[in-house]
Amino acid sequence: MSNKLKKAIKTIFLVEIVQGLALTLKTMFTPSVTRQYPTVKRKAFAGSRGLHYMDRDDSGLKERCIGCGLCEAVCPSKAITVVTIPGPEREKLVASYELDLLRCVFCGFCVDACPVNAIKMTPDFELACYQRRDVFYTKERLMDVGDRYLHRKTGGSK
Amino acid sequence: MENTVTVTIDGITVKVKPTATILDAAKQAGVRIPVLCADDKLHPYGSCRICLVEIEKSPRKFTPSCTTPVADNMVVKTMTPDLFEARKRILELLLCHHPLDCPVCDKAGNCQLQDLVHEYGLGPSKFTEKKRVVPPNYKSAVIDREVARCVLCGKCVRVCREQNAVGELAFTRRGKESKVSTDFDQQLDCEFCGECVEICPVGALTTKQFKYRGRTWNMERTQSVCNYCGCGCRMVYETRQGRIVRVRSAARNYLCGKGRFGWDAVHHADRLTTPLVRVSGELVPATWDEALAMVVTNLNVIKNKRGADSIGGLGSVRTTNEESYLFQKFMRSAIGTNNVDMLARLKVPKGLNTTFFSGELSNISGHDVVLVLDGDVAELNPLTGIEIVRAVNRNYKKLILVNSGYNKLNRIASCVLEYVSPDAALADLLPALKSGQGTGAVADAAAILKEATSVAVIIPARLPDGTYYQVRELLSLLKGATTYPVVKRSNFLGALDMGVLPGYYPGYQKVSPDVVSRFASAWNCMLPEIPGKNALEMLDAIKQGSIAALYIMGDDPAGSDAGLKPVLEKLEFLVVQDIFLTETAKMADVVLPAVSSAEKAGTLTSLERRLQGISPAEEPLGDAQPDWNILQTVAKKMGSAMHYASPSDIMKEIRALVPLYADLAVGSVWPAEKSPLHGSETNLSLLSDSVEKNDVITSERLLFSSGTTTTRSKELTTVCTFKVEA
Ligand code: SF4
Ligand code: SF4
Ligand code: SF4
Ligand code: FES
């Protein structure tokens, strides 16, 4: 059959339109793939890297961080600042732990570097906020994030 | 060349002295051998065994390189698979008891053990026993001992004994109970130089000051020079977020307690941050404009009413060369008087820089004999003290000490002359040298001195006329004598060089028509032709009312001699530039806040006449400004043309006008022969019975005290309170 004849048949019997409509018809009866974000949220994959949290130590009263500063050292974007002081028993106290999320690139190196697994990540990626100061996470706020994420009752200043 | 032997290290052949160790030879060959217990400052010891090497045809499989002398045609291998394994095992054994608390150890990042463990890739240990539990010792001032971390290398013990001659630390107990401690485990009672902390390869010795203040890899480092005494030790400021957290010695240098721990005065709450002016009897904060306007108007009024010579200027030994230069330029050109001097001249040996020029401190070891005429030298100039100890302990030279008390030098002296003062000692020693009279220690000393072909003579900080002539006679009797005068204050020589002297322009150029016209054309102004009043004459003139205004930069006369208070009260107008509200500043009409040496750039000249640069580690506190900038602003407002953007601009001018500094590189010493005063009878010190230049002393030891700044160092004052409690 010549090509011309084939083309004529396709044109006369609207073959391509029927094929297309068949696909449309089929899709009308399959479940939709578009998620209605933000009303519908997808479950995070294991290991996804979002907002950090600071774990609590075994007493649950204070941070697990021992102030070694390795996260600060490894952070490629210099987002973390750890300040330590000697405590009353001459132990190392973490006077402040600050994370500047604006700088963070969510590489997760800090989590890997931490020798005591104190700084960890939640899968939470919804970090938009109205005020610039809200992107600076202090030690207390990071612990609150952890409490919320792990549904813990301890602590929680707000 | 019989005096060398040939050694082959890893295929590289080097010629070394027969007394060298394999480690020295390897260094010369550029081969690195790992070490823990060896250090350039110390004798070989051989306690850690990390430096093992293999020697061909040796009956021993492994030999420690740091303690083994070389032999001719020795062939050494520093790295073989066997050696790698051996070193790995040694490290594993060291880690048996060493706590793995690197995350909270202040040494991490700078720890030789950590680096080696990393290099040799140690994994989990075969040894599973429990680690030894040893409690830390926090009892002492300044220095903490984390005993559990100690690897018993003995460096601290040795540096304290060999380099410092203090011997405060020692090994106590035996076997696995061994630890580094003091007599009866008491708290430290030493010089608190912190050399043991610096030399400890691990984190077993730490300072209270730096405890948990930061991690080594976060520090920014600024090379500078200590501004406490004339030795001018090179040091490094370590800053974190723009604030100093620690001071360390520059590589292979020494720092005493003042240099290492005394910097915290920079952060003292008493620092002046804004200008103060006297309004109805009270000093109140003011703006720079207000304060400077007050300075300029008053100085102008007094100058016009009573003449430029009714104004005097007292300079400082703490300020940089540039600032001292600008100070005398300001007094001479803007005010128009040669009344410019320093009270610190009361505290220097007669003949300094005219008869007695200091040799380089590192050469003290090169002499056969060290003759110490001032028993306090190790407290006044700690680095000179260290060099004397090095001469004796490392180079086996003889030490003759004149001392009535007992201090660390007594422990190492070959011969002690127990006299209350150097003149009494010299009165006996000189005849003994000339005609062999004398008995006992004096005869011994004379015998030692006669044999010596070169002698280092430590000249006392105070030298009355009589003693001065005795010392000169002594020098003429000795072969190859080099003098090392004691100069307490940091930039005293620099201030002299810069002409903070009533009779001399910078570079000891005597006030004379030639010199005056040369400077007048360089500075483009009229200059006074007659020499001014020295510090003592100025004080007299104030009493008599012929000096009505005084400009003091960085000195505290009222604080060092309460008798000067009523004198200063007579002044119509007093300006003080300082970093603290000193006793004198409290009496001033205007107080201008200056910055400390940690916040400014410039150069200092050490007692060896070595030009050294300081660099700012911090931003100026509050509104404070460097002295040179304050002076230049005042001068400008008084109509003088001074336009310097930085201290290096001032240095350029100094180099053009002062022959001594013309091509003096930073880090080198200007040659004594070049000084116009070389060998002359000029006296650059002022001796006085009426005025005392006392130090504002906080502790009972001179070592920890040098005046206004040390009083404000928390660390240095804890040393003193600890000692009082003990
Ligand atoms: S995730 Fe990466 S960029 Fe963000 S704080 Fe941690 S180390 Fe820094
Ligand atoms: S305290 Fe430090 S320097 Fe002293 S023996 Fe122990 S490890 Fe060596
Ligand atoms: S010896 Fe003098 S210059 Fe050296 S650190 Fe001590 S005070 Fe400073
Ligand atoms: S460095 Fe040679 S034994 Fe320690």
Side-chain angles (χ1 to χ4, degrees), chain A residues 66 68 72-73 81-82 84 90, chain B residues 103 144 212 215 217 240-241:
Chain A
I66 50 168
C68 71
E72 178 176 352
T81 316
V82 189
T84 54
R90 309 215 43 73
Chain B
D144 277 351
Y212 306 143
R215 316 237 64 196
W217 54 82
R240 167 113 161 102
Q241 296 176 333

Side-chain angles (χ1 to χ4, degrees), chain B residues 227-246:
Chain B
N227 196 15
Y228 273 120
C229 87
C231 297
C233 298
R234 289 195 295 126
M235 62 184 203
V236 182
Y237 289 113
E238 295 194 333
T239 49
R240 167 113 161 102
Q241 296 176 333
R243 255 177 97 79
I244 304 174
V245 287
R246 172 162 68 172

Side-chain angles (χ1 to χ4, degrees), chain B residues 656-720:
Chain B
L657 288 169
V658 183
L660 294 178
Y661 281 70
D663 41 15
L664 181 65
V666 173
S668 50
V669 167
W670 60 260
E673 315 79 71
K674 274 176 83 179
S675 167
L677 297 186
H678 184 248
S680 74
E681 275 293 337
T682 321
N683 189 3
L684 292 179
S685 82
L686 293 173
L687 273 183
S688 150
D689 301 325
S690 55
V691 182
E692 284 284 324
K693 174 79 180 158
N694 288 327
D695 299 309
V696 185
I697 289 192
T698 44
S699 64
E700 68 266 46
R701 287 180 67 183
L702 296 166
L703 177 59
F704 304 119
S705 189
S706 73
T708 319
T709 322
T710 39
T711 5
R712 264 105 173 169
S713 162
K714 189 172 135 262
E715 290 297 310
L716 293 178
T717 39
T718 59
V719 175
C720 119

Side-chain angles (χ1 to χ4, degrees), chain B residues 383-411:
Chain B
L383 181 62
T384 313
I386 293 297
E387 292 294 350
I388 296 170
V389 179
R390 277 191 189 140
V392 177
N393 280 354
R394 273 189 82 77
N395 299 292
Y396 310 107
K397 302 299 168 69
K398 293 219 163 75
L399 169 63
I400 302 173
L401 176 67
V402 176
N403 191 4
S404 54
Y406 186 90
N407 63 24
K408 69 178 196 178
L409 294 181
N410 285 61
R411 296 190 192 133

Side-chain angles (χ1 to χ4, degrees), chain B residues 638-659:
Chain B
M638 293 188 74
S640 267
M642 289 196 194
H643 301 283
Y644 305 104
S646 69
S648 57
D649 282 0
I650 308 174
M651 200 57 196
K652 258 184 231 150
E653 187 175 314
I654 296 174
R655 287 184 190 282
L657 288 169
V658 183

Side-chain angles (χ1 to χ4, degrees), chain B residues 225-235 254-260 380-384 488 490:
Chain B
V225 172
C226 171
N227 196 15
Y228 273 120
C229 87
C231 297
C233 298
R234 289 195 295 126
M235 62 184 203
Y254 162 85
L255 283 183
C256 74
K258 274 180 284 183
R260 200 184 303 273
L380 299 174
N381 279 159
L383 181 62
T384 313
K488 269 200 78 175
S490 59

